[in-house]
Amino acid sequence: MDKNIGEKLYEHRKAAGFSQEELAEKIGVSRQAVSKWERGESSPDTENLIALSKLYNISLDDLVFGESNEEKTEKLQPENDKVDISPAGIQVESKTGDKVNINWKGIHVDTADTNVHIDKNGVNVTENGHIVFPKKQIDSRAYRFFKRFPYPIVTVILYILFGSLEICGGWGLGWLVFLTIPLYYTLIDAVARKNASEFCYPVLVTMVYLYIGMVNELWHPGWLIFLTIPVYYFLAEFIRKLCKKLQ
């Protein structure tokens, strides 16, 4: 018997967690027979090979000719990757040039087109040289005014008026005004950054759906309005990229 096959039988037994005695008992042979198989001094017959493959839940080919655990481990390990673990931290550099540096100063990941840095300065992400996070702060008097405007308090006042005066649906429908809070703030960001994707369109769709459902009882087919959400963001992103190319 090929010694390599004996080694594979040994590895399969070890991986399954059986001793030679336990394996011998399970397939109905002597411990000496198992020992001879693994030393390459004899070969299991077809019946025993089938019993072993069923016990290990693998095919006969994998049992006799499959890769060993060591060979699989070697293939899983990337070639030429450098890993340095020391008191100074952990440094990993792949063969493609990607780097990961973890130490007491923070976590730094650098690839060909993306850089992620988490340190005392916060979280910073760039892609192809462009800042993805945090978003660039807008320094505009009008922007600061609208962001600081107490719009949530306005919605509370409006709701009380709607309920007290029984207008705009009274108490029953007036609460929908609270859904305009995220619409207000995301609209400001969308206009300031000239990016329609910033607008919280799903909330607007939900508000419209609730209104037409409670007022006109168009729960069906009113739900179809939700299908406009992916269309909206697709068009918003398409227009944003188009405008960026034209600049």
Side-chain angles (χ1 to χ4, degrees):
M1 179 178 177
D2 190 337
K3 187 176 180 180
N4 289 332
I5 296 178
E7 291 176 353
K8 295 184 190 301
L9 293 177
Y10 169 79
E11 290 180 357
H12 286 306
R13 177 175 64 80
K14 282 295 186 180
F18 298 136
S19 65
Q20 288 185 344
E21 291 83 358
E22 291 172 334
L23 178 60
E25 184 180 350
K26 286 184 176 294
I27 62 176
V29 299
S30 66
R31 185 198 65 78
Q32 290 78 7
V34 174
S35 178
K36 288 182 179 180
W37 295 344
E38 295 179 353
R39 293 200 304 269
E41 296 177 2
S42 64
S43 303
D45 58 23
T46 303
E47 183 178 348
N48 287 326
L49 285 173
I50 294 174
L52 288 169
S53 67
K54 289 182 178 179
L55 180 63
Y56 298 143
N57 195 28
I58 58 176
S59 67
L60 285 172
D61 285 341
D62 287 339
L63 176 67
V64 179
F65 304 109
E67 296 177 341
S68 67
N69 291 335
E70 291 181 358
E71 290 170 339
K72 291 180 179 179
T73 301
E74 289 177 358
K75 287 191 174 183
L76 288 173
Q77 293 177 345
E79 299 178 358
N80 301 325
D81 283 2
K82 297 179 181 179
V83 180
D84 181 20
I85 302 177
S86 67
I90 302 174
Q91 293 182 333
V92 181
E93 183 175 354
S94 71
K95 61 182 180 181
T96 59
D98 297 342
K99 297 179 180 179
V100 177
N101 190 350
I102 303 174
N103 53 42
W104 63 274
K105 292 183 179 180
I107 301 174
H108 305 274
V109 180
D110 298 295
T111 66
D113 54 6
T114 304
N115 305 93
V116 180
H117 298 280
I118 304 174
D119 51 31
K120 63 181 181 179
N121 296 319
V123 180
N124 294 275
V125 182
T126 60
E127 289 184 359
N128 297 315
H130 300 288
I131 297 175
V132 176
F133 186 88
K135 295 178 180 178
K136 184 179 179 181
Q137 295 296 319
I138 300 173
D139 187 16
S140 166
R141 181 177 298 180
Y143 178 80
R144 292 196 300 270
F145 170 79
F146 286 110
K147 290 291 281 189
R148 293 173 181 174
F149 182 74
Y151 184 75
I153 296 177
V154 174
T155 60
V156 172
I157 296 173
L158 289 175
Y159 178 57
I160 294 174
L161 289 175
F162 293 161
S164 301
L165 302 178
E166 295 186 358
I167 58 176
C168 295
W171 302 107
L173 285 177
W175 64 269
L176 290 176
V177 71
F178 294 115
L179 294 180
T180 65
I181 296 176
L183 299 182
Y184 172 83
Y185 289 107
T186 57
L187 178 62
I188 295 172
D189 288 334
V191 173
R193 295 192 172 96
K194 299 179 181 179
N195 183 3
S197 295
E198 299 269 349
F199 180 62
C200 196
Y201 183 72
V203 174
L204 175 61
V205 171
T206 301
M207 187 171 68
V208 173
Y209 176 64
L210 291 173
Y211 181 83
I212 63 176
M214 290 186 289
V215 174
N216 302 314
E217 296 186 355
L218 291 177
W219 302 108
H220 176 78
W223 61 268
L224 291 172
I225 192 175
F226 288 100
L227 298 180
T228 65
I229 294 176
V231 177
Y232 171 85
Y233 284 107
F234 171 79
L235 292 176
E237 191 64 17
F238 175 78
I239 294 173
R240 185 185 69 82
K241 292 181 177 179
L242 181 62
C243 292
K244 191 174 181 179
K245 288 182 179 179
L246 295 176
Q247 288 179 350

